[in-house]
Amino acid sequence: MPELSRRTLLAGTAAATGLSLLGPYAHAAGRVPLTREEHRVVVIGSGFGGGVTALRFAQAGVPVLVLERGKRWPTGPNADTFPTLASPDKRFFWLGSGPSLFGISPPPFERYTGLLERVSGNGMDIMCAAGVGGGSLLYQGMTLQPTEEVFNANMPERLDYARMDRVYYRRVAEMLKIATAPDELINSESYTASRIFARNVEKAGYSVEKIPMPIDWDYALRELRGEMKPSYTNGDCAFGVNNGGKHSVDVTYIAQAESTGKVTVAEQHNVTDVAKTRDGRWQVHVDRIASDGTVLEQKIITTGALVMAAGTAGTTRLLMRAAAKDQIPDMPDGLGSNWGSNGDRIYTWTNFADDFGSPQGGPVVFGSKEWGDPTMANTVIQASLPPMPNLRTTMLVGYGVSSGRGRFVYDASKDDAVLNWPSQADSLLARRIDERVAAVAGNGSVRLDTTSLVPNTWHPLGGASMNVVCDLAGRVKGHQGLYVLDGALMPGNTAACNPSMTIAAVAERATDELLTHDAGTVF
């Protein structure tokens, strides 16, 4: 295939779609330099899939280049790395994309390689993270493993739940050092909302339990003792934890991968296109960008093994653009299909019977699982609001198993793939979650389903699913050396759990398979 042509795009279009930000020669200082590199393995993305891949390949002696469009976000006691909702700034948003949160549009900020991008779709928007560590920087951290019954009803049984349980889920739990919140913390004044939620769940006749989190809870206890400024204990942790203690991918998988000396993480490297070369290798076109999005350098990177781990939206859109323009011919017909929202519902809960107090400690302490019916299994949790005046309000979040599916469709006028989501696709699950939330909230309260007002998901899944586009190890069918190892590989849901632990466990399993059968031959 001829070398992939460079495109000239308007900066505004680029900011909205995450594509190349400026034309091939537009640069404040003149012509943008073009360089070429070759690497044995290239991984696009540094979230759970990319982090697992980088570490396990490096431990096997395989050198890896990780391309991450965002920046690093180092933390530590009393750091000011992450923005806060109390004083929002440019760090929130990816190149000024400014997604609305709960239907409220923020003021415009200058362009910056910030944390969050909204990828707009028809009927559903996808919330995407940017930065070394991917979605683990922003996620609340609920690290849940499905039961065998729910797993087998929703995931391919050939993944072998017994082995997943014995080896891969356990491996992830150990890497993330998951732990539940100590009673000393829960019984403090800041966690009143958590205790009211747990009490109300039991009163409604549902089970309640502590949720495992990738957190060293001693950091929160130290905050209570006044040894650090509040970050966990005031709920100011939804967009990154400034004090540290959160075992996100950047400080676990990526840090260990880099310590081997086999892994290079190239931050602020925005992949614009991927293609297959005439000799069967893979070509990645990359813009190295400044923090305001200015293209500083363009790179063409060639590799024998390309791992797509750019997140569900990023991976699916890159592959679909390549397929539509015949840059990767003969892609599987199911590419872009089998996409699901994981049934996400986000509520505000205003309680006139009890006072939640302010501030509210976070991020998540308790949850309620209703997993008896594998076809409708769901989880409801309480999450804190960030510091604000006492509005007698907190948050409830539900997610679970839904058969509703959307599909990405390539739009030539945008040179992008756009999600089409059928109206009411999650309606059965949404009704069940709403019934549970209403019972938990009880009389004398008001709940607002923000997802019904502004349909969006923080848990996008599918688009290059196993058994449709890829095999169980993420190999794209018919394309040696091309792999998908992120949420795009999932079959539209992750069995009533938030996706992080299952994505990581599936990637752990896949890297074992690839290092056994593909290393030394494919890469």
Side-chain angles (χ1 to χ4, degrees):
M1 174 172 292
E3 178 184 307
L4 190 61
S5 62
R6 307 299 295 172
R7 300 185 308 279
T8 301
L9 299 173
L10 294 175
T13 301
T17 62
L19 304 178
S20 183
L21 295 166
L22 298 169
Y25 305 117
H27 187 267
R31 187 183 180 94
V32 175
L34 174 65
T35 59
R36 296 176 183 271
E37 300 176 5
E38 292 198 9
H39 294 270
R40 182 172 171 184
V41 175
V42 172
V43 176
I44 303 175
S46 63
F48 281 100
V52 169
T53 303
L55 175 58
R56 301 311 176 196
F57 278 28
Q59 289 175 330
V62 178
V64 177
L65 173 66
V66 178
L67 301 172
E68 169 54 54
R69 65 175 181 162
K71 64 186 291 288
R72 289 185 188 264
W73 299 84
T75 63
N78 299 314
D80 189 31
T81 301
F82 293 106
T84 65
L85 284 172
S87 55
D89 58 43
K90 66 181 182 180
R91 292 174 294 174
F92 266 116
F93 302 122
W94 172 254
L95 298 178
S97 59
S100 63
L101 299 174
F102 316 125
I104 302 172
S105 295
F109 296 114
E110 60 186 289
R111 292 162 59 81
Y112 188 74
T113 48
L115 285 160
L116 184 64
E117 178 190 18
R118 179 183 65 181
V119 176
S120 298
N122 297 320
M124 177 71 71
D125 293 346
I126 301 172
M127 311 304 286
C128 302
V132 177
S136 73
L137 297 171
L138 292 173
Y139 80 147
Q140 293 278 346
M142 295 163 284
T143 307
L144 293 174
Q145 176 181 336
T147 62
E148 182 172 10
E149 185 180 20
V150 179
F151 183 94
N152 286 338
N154 293 281
M155 306 288 287
E157 287 197 41
R158 288 189 298 115
L159 284 175
D160 185 2
Y161 182 85
R163 188 163 182 242
M164 291 287 292
D165 175 47
R166 184 177 67 255
V167 179
Y168 301 117
Y169 278 115
R170 184 170 301 179
R171 190 183 291 177
V172 174
E174 291 172 353
M175 281 294 301
L176 300 182
K177 302 172 185 168
I178 62 175
T180 57
D183 290 341
E184 179 184 356
L185 184 73
I186 297 170
N187 292 331
S188 68
E189 184 178 358
S190 296
Y191 287 81
T192 301
S194 299
R195 297 194 303 275
I196 292 172
F197 169 76
R199 182 202 67 193
N200 281 22
V201 168
E202 291 182 325
K203 285 174 62 177
Y206 302 124
S207 65
V208 66
E209 59 192 81
K210 292 182 180 180
I211 298 294
M213 304 286 283
I215 290 172
D216 180 347
W217 291 101
D218 187 56
Y219 279 69
L221 292 173
R222 289 173 63 192
E223 291 179 17
L224 287 183
R225 294 193 294 267
E227 297 172 11
M228 290 186 286
K229 68 180 182 181
S231 185
Y232 291 103
T233 53
N234 67 348
D236 217 356
C237 50
F239 288 86
V241 180
N242 277 310
N243 278 337
K246 181 181 179 183
H247 305 135
S248 47
V249 171
D250 54 324
V251 297
T252 54
Y253 282 101
I254 292 292
Q256 288 192 33
E258 290 179 306
S259 72
T260 67
K262 291 287 186 180
V263 171
T264 300
V265 177
E267 60 185 289
Q268 296 191 177
H269 277 57
N270 188 37
V271 175
T272 61
D273 289 288
V274 295
K276 195 171 189 176
T277 64
R278 287 193 181 97
D279 63 2
R281 293 190 298 167
W282 301 97
Q283 196 176 79
V284 185
H285 286 241
V286 185
D287 289 341
R288 181 172 66 84
I289 60 177
S291 59
D292 66 354
T294 300
V295 179
L296 304 175
E297 178 186 13
Q298 293 184 322
K299 297 183 178 183
I300 298 175
I301 300 172
T302 304
T303 182
L306 177 59
V307 180
M308 306 296 297
T312 301
T315 289
T316 303
R317 292 158 69 206
L318 281 169
L319 291 178
M320 289 194 71
R321 289 210 307 274
K325 296 186 290 185
D326 206 35
Q327 291 159 188
I328 304 179
D330 303 319
M331 286 292 283
D333 291 339
L335 180 64
S337 69
N338 204 32
W339 186 92
S341 72
N342 213 41
D344 279 5
R345 315 302 297 184
I346 300 176
Y347 292 81
T348 59
W349 171 23
T350 303
N351 189 348
F352 300 107
D354 296 291
D355 187 356
F356 295 131
S358 181
Q360 297 172 14
V364 172
V365 171
F366 292 112
S368 176
K369 302 173 184 175
E370 185 181 61
W371 291 5
D373 177 0
T375 65
M376 193 67 73
N378 65 87
T379 303
V380 174
I381 61 95
Q382 178 267 334
S384 57
L385 285 178
M388 60 176 58
N390 187 359
L391 302 176
R392 305 182 75 97
T393 298
T394 191
M395 291 175 59
L396 298 176
V397 178
Y399 46 82
V401 173
S402 171
S403 59
R405 295 292 179 267
R407 186 182 186 108
F408 281 87
V409 176
Y410 179 72
D411 184 337
S413 67
K414 298 179 178 178
D415 188 24
D416 198 7
V418 179
L419 175 65
N420 288 333
W421 177 252
S423 176
Q424 304 299 312
D426 281 338
S427 59
L428 290 177
L429 177 65
R431 280 198 293 271
R432 181 55 192 155
I433 289 175
D434 194 64
E435 290 170 358
R436 296 231 294 143
V437 166
V440 170
N443 297 326
S445 66
V446 175
R447 67 192 190 283
L448 176 63
D449 179 359
T450 67
T451 310
S452 66
L453 299 177
V454 184
N456 68 91
T457 180
W458 298 72
H459 295 158
L461 296 166
S465 295
M466 58 182 81
N467 285 346
V468 177
V469 174
C470 304
D471 69 8
L472 301 187
R475 302 180 185 94
V476 177
K477 297 178 181 180
H479 292 282
Q480 182 173 281
L482 181 61
Y483 308 93
V484 172
L485 288 178
D486 61 9
L489 185 62
M490 300 297 107
N493 76 77
T494 47
C497 298
N498 54 308
S500 58
M501 194 178 199
T502 292
I503 291 172
V506 169
E508 290 276 15
R509 178 191 179 279
T511 52
D512 271 6
E513 167 83 8
L514 300 181
L515 289 167
T516 300
H517 297 287
D518 292 25
T521 55
V522 179
F523 56 86

